[in-house]
Amino acid sequence: MKRWLILPVLVVGALALTAIGLADPGHGHKNKPNAKGGKLVFHVTYKVRRNHDGSYTVRREDKGRFVTLAGQSPSADPCPGVIRRGKHGETLEAGKTGGLHGYLQGKVTGGTFNPSATCTAECSSSDFVSAFFGSTAQFTCNNGYAGCRFSFEYTAQRHHKQGLRYHHWVDRGTDGVHEIFIGDIATT
């Protein structure tokens, strides 16, 4: 049964989301380098698995590229409660490039999965859940950290040529309670 549900979502996702993910990288998503902006171009894939209790596990996977804007580096001044590990800088110049990949995973309750549904043009996680599970469905990742796991990694290749002091940043939340920043992408 689990395999049967994944296949339709992947087919629909491949057809509907390939162009969407590239056309609009998704305003309102967290976990992006330099929250003040930057250009993100990535492919989004959603995977759905039915659980024994009737709920569903939804996993969103992102893979793509980024270009930074000038400002604070992603790990320079995290929000209150964020745990910071590793080396980090303070500022980031515009135009630094690199790759990103990551996932966001949580549980959907209160809805019925429709593998034939279509998503909005932006197709954020909220849009996906509403379209494929109905407007009354609840997704744990839309309600804070509890019941939500995520990990997004950003790496700037050729960091010496780009003048970067730090070139790898991870934004992770795997225990449903804490958000952890590891490393940074920074020029100073």
Side-chain angles (χ1 to χ4, degrees), residues 3-18 43-48 59 61 113 115 128 132:
R3 287 185 215 149
W4 181 83
L5 287 174
I6 291 173
L7 183 59
V9 170
L10 290 176
V11 170
V12 169
L15 296 174
L17 299 177
T18 299
H43 175 79
V44 176
T45 302
Y46 287 94
K47 296 180 180 179
V48 176
R59 181 178 175 105
E61 297 178 352
F113 178 59
F128 178 83
F132 282 81

Side-chain angles (χ1 to χ4, degrees), residues 74-75 78 82-85 169-172 179-183:
S75 193
V82 172
I83 299 166
R84 211 166 35 167
R85 295 186 181 152
W169 179 57
V170 179
D171 182 2
R172 182 176 294 156
E179 183 171 10
I180 301 167
F181 286 179
I182 303 169

